[in-house]
């Protein structure tokens, strides 16, 4: 058994914005000896928030990776940590991190509890079956309510929380935690040790009844799932050791049965050491995770690869970063096999081999060079020229393709142009690099207006992009007003539409004939082209059918009403014919595009707009004004609930009505209300808006 892998943890830290996630990571780095001093977010000195924009705003924008080490129970552990953003505009960083991690720590604010982005990242973790533990932070804050947060985790996240710690006091009275498994109290003094020193004491007398109640509940929840352990428990509970109990709980956490709940205050340096112990005790190693599954790129046969350095290589690139010192960095999770410096690796998507010139162990934006990386580890490499996010790297002789990550589409765009002729090429290069780094950032040149259009997930996302272009690349820019990324959709269906493409140019001609059914997709959640091959009897070669699909897919970039992309479309190919000399794949691809143009004129279409999910937390006295303002913005109120002394208002509102909303909300609430917003779905625009969009069309996205 590989002891090194047993004691390796690949984890992410995830949370809603302002839950104290980055502060928690900074304390971890300090107590594990990676940092000799504590970096504070509010001072712009956090190690993991290395970008200027992060330090100025006090938020995490890009996920940062680091490696640290911790010793508990006389075992040395290696912990690879990825600190992820909390702001919804940068949710892609969470998505791609969770795809390659084995476990996660979810950080919750003891006052705010489960907030909107908490739910988003939680369901992202569910999608990738990531085991996790929870840390209720900010127990030192006035209004901290540990039990309320645990209830919210159960009710709002549909999870099974398991309290393994209780706080000793709250707010200004918070001094430490009680470990329910070991029945010990851990108390921190506010001294000069910055939390490095703490006392282990007996449980305070006034808390013994509460500790007994929650400990019994903990024991019953864990023991009842194991028949052998249950029998031993009823025979003599004293015979079950602490380590046996932890081993069983660990198994339940890895199987996603329970979420252990811990608590503390990262800012006041209380509880982090016990959190590190829990990471080692309960979160999985690479060996505890199911073998990675993929497919053979040619046969589509299912392939499994265990976390074994002697197995054939399989690795995924989950992030690309342009580094001013070493060039293009590709972040990799190695699932099986190993990579040595100077070795060639095969990219399944490109069908090409690239040489890994250098391998780095990352610490935020700094690198430590290493010679080899093995199965179960995370690293960054230099030398992979054509690799992009989501690519599978493997042995050419033993190919495998891993499931790609799915990213949300941008909902907002802005036009940018360089002020000088000399900066035009520079702007193009800078935007291409940034698009390579960020899969939710789209870049397009509008041939009609001559503008360069950049698209992102929200106003903050676009603001950061523009800021980076100015600071990092020294560009002087003109920029337009943000524009909504509308889409189009067919309302009805046309069946058995026959299209013949015939062109004669003197020599070899072009010929393609197709018969199709075209209309909308019945599934509202489906995005893109739903292509159905219903050709009978092999009337068309497979390569021609593939060309038809490609042609329709390309045609969807410009809808019939205003040139917006098609949201979805169903194309059923039912018949066709070809000429033995004049037909080729290109002819069928062109035929599909021209067929789309003809059909578009005959079918009814409409425009769709992005609808955002909005959550506002406000004092009760401002609720009326905020409600009235939302009604003017075409919002649909979904409900309200109480959270402490505040109201939580949930709504859905069109993106087009939300530009500059942060300023409007501050004005309405005298700066006391806060909100979060994320993409929900696309919806048909009202008739009045549709007419306005058609008449005032300015951009093609």
């Amino acid at each position: 058994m590989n002891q090194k892998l047993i004691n390796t943890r690949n984890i992410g830290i995830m949370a809603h914005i302002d839950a104290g996630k980055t502060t928690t990571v900074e304390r971890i780095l300090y107590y594990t000896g990676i940092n000799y001093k504590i970096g504070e977010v509010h001072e712009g000195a956090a190690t993991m928030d290395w970008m200027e924009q992060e330090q100025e705003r006090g938020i995490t924008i890009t996920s940062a990776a680091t490696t640290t080490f911790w010793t508990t129970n006389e075992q040395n552990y290696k912990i690879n940590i990825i600190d992820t953003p909390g702001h919804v505009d940068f949710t892609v960083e969470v998505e791609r991190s969770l795809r390659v991690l084995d476990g996660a720590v979810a950080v919750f604010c003891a006052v705010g509890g489960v907030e909107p982005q908490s739910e988003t990242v939680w369901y992202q973790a569910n999608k990738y079956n990531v085991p996790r533990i929870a840390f209720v932070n900010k127990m030192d804050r006035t209004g901290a309510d540990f039990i309320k947060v645990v209830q919210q985790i159960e009710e709002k996240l549909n999870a099974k929380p398991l309290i393994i710690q209780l706080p000793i006091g709250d707010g200004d009275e918070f001094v430490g935690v009680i470990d329910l498994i070991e029945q010990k109290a851990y108390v921190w003094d506010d001294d000069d040790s910055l939390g490095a020193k703490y006392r282990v004491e007996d449980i305070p007398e006034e808390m013994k009844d509460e500790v007994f109640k929650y400990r019994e509940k903990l024991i019953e929840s864990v023991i009842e799932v194991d028949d052998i352990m249950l029998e031993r428990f009823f025979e003599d509970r004293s015979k079950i050791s602490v380590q046996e109990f932890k081993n069983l709980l660990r198994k339940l956490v890895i199987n996603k049965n329970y979420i252990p709940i811990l608590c503390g205050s990262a800012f006041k340096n209380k509880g982090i050491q016990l959190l590190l112990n829990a990471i080692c005790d309960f979160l999985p190693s690479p060996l505890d995770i199911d073998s990675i599954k993929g497919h053979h790129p040619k046969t589509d046969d299912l392939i499994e690869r265990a976390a074994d350095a002697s197995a054939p290589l399989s690795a995924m690139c989950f992030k690309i970063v342009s580094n001013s010192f070493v060039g293009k960095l590709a972040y990799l999770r190695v699932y099986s096999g190993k990579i040595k410096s100077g070795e060639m690796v095969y990219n399944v998507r490109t069908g090409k081999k690239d040489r890994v010139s250098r391998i780095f162990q990352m610490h935020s934006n700094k690198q430590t060079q290493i010679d080899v990386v093995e199965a179960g580890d995370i690293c960054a490499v230099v030398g992979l020229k054509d690799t992009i996010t989501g690519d599978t790297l493997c042995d050419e002789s033993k190919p495998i393709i891993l499931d790609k990550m799915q990213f949300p589409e941008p909902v907002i765009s802005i036009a940018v142009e360089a002020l000088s002729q000399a900066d035009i090429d520079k702007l193009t290069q800078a935007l291409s690099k940034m698009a390579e780094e960020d899969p939710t950032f789209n870049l397009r040149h509008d041939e009609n207006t001559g503008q360069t259009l950049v698209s992102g997930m929200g106003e903050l996302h676009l603001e950061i992009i523009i800021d980076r272009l100015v600071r990092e690349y020294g560009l002087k820019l003109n920029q337009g007003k943000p524009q909504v990324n509308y889409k189009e959709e067919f309302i009805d269906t046309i069946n058995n539409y026959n299209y013949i493409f015939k062109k004669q140019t003197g020599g070899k001609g072009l010929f393609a004939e197709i018969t199709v059914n075209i209309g909308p997709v019945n599934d509202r959640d489906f995005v893109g082209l739903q292509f159905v091959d219903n050709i009978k009897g092999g009337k068309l070669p497979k390569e021609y059918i593939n060309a038809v699909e490609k042609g329709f897919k390309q045609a969807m970039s410009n809808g019939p009403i205003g040139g917006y992309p098609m949201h979805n479309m169903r194309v059923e190919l039912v018949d066709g014919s070809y000429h033995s000399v004049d037909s080729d794949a290109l002819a069928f691809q062109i035929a599909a595009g021209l067929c789309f143009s003809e059909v578009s004129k005959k079918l009814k279409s409409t425009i769709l707009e992005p609808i955002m999910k909005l959550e506002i937390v406000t004092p009760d006295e401002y609720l009326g004004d905020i409600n009235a303002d939302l009604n003017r913005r075409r919002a649909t109120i979904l409900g309200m609930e109480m959270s402490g002394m505040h109201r939580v208002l949930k709504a859905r509102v069109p993106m087009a009505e939300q530009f500059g909303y942060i300023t409007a909300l501050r004005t309405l609430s005298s700066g006391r209300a806060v909100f979060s917003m994320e993409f929900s779905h696309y919806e048909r625009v009202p008739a009045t808006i549709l007419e306005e969009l058609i008449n005032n069309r300015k951009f093609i996205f």
Side-chain angles (χ1 to χ4, degrees), residues 6-18:
I6 289 176
N7 291 351
T8 295
R9 301 289 181 268
N10 296 313
I11 68 161
I13 313 292
M14 61 188 206
H16 184 93
I17 192 169
D18 291 333

Side-chain angles (χ1 to χ4, degrees), residues 142-159:
T142 302
D145 191 333
F146 176 71
I147 299 301
K148 185 193 77 173
V149 178
V150 176
Q151 290 170 346
Q152 288 182 348
I153 292 171
E154 184 172 19
E155 294 165 5
K156 291 189 176 185
L157 303 178
N158 196 28

